[in-house]
Amino acid sequence: MRIGPWTLPNNVLVAPMAGVTDRPFRQLCKKLGAGYAVSEMAASNPKLWDSVKTSRRLNHDGEIAPISVQIAGADPAMMAEAAAFNAARGAKIIDINMGCPVKKVCNVASGSALLRHEDLIVRILDAVVAACAPLGVPVTLKTRTGWDRESRNALRVARLAENAGIAALTLHGRTRADLYTGHAEYDTIRAVRAELKIPLIANGDIDSPEKAKHVLDYTGADAVMIGRAAQGRPWIFREIDHYLRTGEKLAPPSHGEMRELLLEHLDDHYRFYGEHTGVRTARKHIGWYLEGLPDADSFRDRMNLIDNTRDQWRAVSEWFLALSNDGDHNPAPAVQALLAA
């Protein structure tokens, strides 16, 4: 799997998800077998670049290459400026968001709302590719099958992207109107694959090694991109990669390994966000890890009342110890250093 000059270690990729695929999460997914990860969506408006939220989204310190930044917007010149700005900050690949279905993005004609304006799509693609070409930075596009089921235009948009010089296309097999309901349109992805020469990445409903293989075989896509199925389950990338390479399924992680991975994730998360924000934003990740585990609901209710990282970390550690009888009760050095600062 290649994107421009970059050869990826495998074809199992992390989908950009707002509020989820921050640097700590991307790093953990890459460590656990993801061949590539795209940052959560960054605004193209220069007025927002100095905000705390955007600054965090553009923080790639220590991240495994290649660094890919997704940008969103509806103004071609502003999108080109954002692409160049992120390339100057270390981005090696720029991804354009034309797939986000949330109202606050679509209401400003960004994300999947652009699928209703193919002329504007062309101007954005041309502007961003032109800005990145002199820098040697390839541009990718993530999109959906159309605005709604009556106006699917994935094939036309794919051709526009290829003609504009887009290096790879990710297609989520749903329309904007579908949001995340129903089933992904693998027939549409297959039809697009038959028409394109550039790499095509299939996205949507891929939640197991068997499903990943089926989607690759059926659609002919070059790679799969995993989003919601990786929430609280970052080891899904090694499971899929191993299955695609060997045809064999890996054993699921033990409770002890899950504990170690979650505590490592929390260590990095707390360092990244700090005490106040860290303890709050970690709650959703902890909740995802707990899904399907014994007595998870009652523990989650208690854990969500904790308002400091020390007690949150210890509560998680001790709860998993009760399941695994493994490890110790002492906060990791990173957490101790944070609390002492």
Side-chain angles (χ1 to χ4, degrees):
M1 175 66 194
R2 290 181 61 85
I3 299 178
W6 295 96
T7 300
L8 307 182
N10 62 39
N11 61 344
V12 187
L13 319 180
V14 186
M17 295 176 281
V20 179
T21 50
D22 52 22
R23 192 191 69 196
F25 185 78
R26 296 194 304 271
Q27 284 286 67
L28 182 59
C29 291
K30 288 179 178 179
K31 176 182 176 180
L32 292 174
Y36 174 72
V38 183
S39 75
E40 52 186 328
M41 181 174 55
S44 60
N45 188 341
K47 295 179 181 179
L48 301 176
W49 292 348
D50 291 330
S51 69
V52 172
K53 185 176 182 179
T54 300
S55 294
R56 284 201 184 107
R57 290 186 173 187
L58 301 183
N59 185 324
H60 311 284
D61 295 345
E63 187 168 352
I64 299 169
I67 293 167
S68 177
V69 174
Q70 186 180 79
I71 59 174
D75 180 89
M78 198 175 288
M79 289 284 280
E81 184 181 1
F85 171 80
N86 281 283
R89 290 174 61 95
K92 302 303 180 184
I93 298 171
I94 294 294
D95 186 63
I96 299 174
N97 183 312
M98 290 189 187
C100 181
V102 302
K103 286 185 178 180
K104 69 178 182 180
V105 174
C106 290
N107 284 346
V108 291
S110 296
S112 55
L114 290 167
L115 295 174
R116 295 184 292 180
H117 307 284
E118 293 181 15
D119 57 335
L120 181 55
I121 287 176
V122 172
R123 289 192 286 126
I124 290 174
L125 297 178
D126 286 345
V128 175
V129 169
C132 291
L135 307 174
V137 173
V139 180
T140 60
L141 173 66
K142 189 172 192 292
T143 188
R144 286 184 170 233
T145 60
W147 175 255
D148 56 31
R149 297 185 183 186
E150 287 67 46
S151 57
R152 289 187 179 96
N153 58 348
L155 191 53
R156 290 199 304 275
V157 170
R159 289 169 177 153
L160 295 175
E162 187 168 67
N163 291 338
I166 291 296
L169 175 71
T170 299
L171 183 57
H172 184 138
R174 286 182 172 85
T175 68
R176 187 273 171 183
D178 290 327
L179 299 177
Y180 296 100
T181 62
H183 302 287
E185 305 168 30
Y186 298 132
D187 287 335
T188 303
I189 297 175
R190 183 177 185 173
V192 170
R193 171 67 285 167
E195 294 291 326
L196 287 190
K197 296 183 176 64
I198 60 174
L200 178 67
I201 302 159
N203 178 221
D205 294 347
I206 301 167
D207 57 4
S208 69
E210 296 90 340
K211 189 64 172 290
K213 186 175 190 307
H214 166 73
V215 170
L216 288 171
D217 290 345
Y218 183 76
T219 66
D222 300 276
V224 288
M225 183 169 275
I226 316 299
R228 291 170 293 159
Q231 294 174 354
R233 192 182 162 197
W235 49 85
I236 191 174
F237 298 100
R238 73 182 181 193
E239 292 176 343
I240 292 176
D241 178 51
H242 182 80
Y243 186 78
L244 293 178
R245 287 187 292 104
T246 69
E248 300 174 352
K249 293 190 66 174
L250 287 175
S254 65
H255 292 147
E257 186 185 9
M258 290 177 65
R259 171 183 176 271
E260 292 174 2
L261 291 172
L262 176 50
L263 294 180
E264 176 186 340
H265 189 175
L266 291 177
D267 285 348
D268 200 11
H269 191 90
Y270 297 153
R271 287 196 303 270
F272 189 71
Y273 287 101
E275 174 73 18
H276 178 78
T277 302
V279 70
R280 289 159 178 78
T281 54
R283 289 170 183 159
K284 61 175 178 280
H285 288 283
I286 296 170
W288 289 328
Y289 278 89
L290 297 177
E291 286 184 8
L293 295 179
D295 197 34
D297 290 342
S298 59
F299 172 70
R300 186 187 296 110
D301 291 341
R302 296 195 304 272
M303 184 272 300
N304 284 340
L305 298 176
I306 298 173
D307 63 0
N308 68 86
T309 56
R310 182 195 300 275
D311 289 343
Q312 186 182 70
W313 196 100
R314 282 178 171 162
V316 169
S317 176
E318 291 170 2
W319 190 82
F320 271 96
L321 280 171
L323 292 179
S324 65
N325 193 29
D326 180 39
D328 58 63
H329 294 266
N330 296 318
V335 177
Q336 292 178 328
L338 171 68
L339 297 173

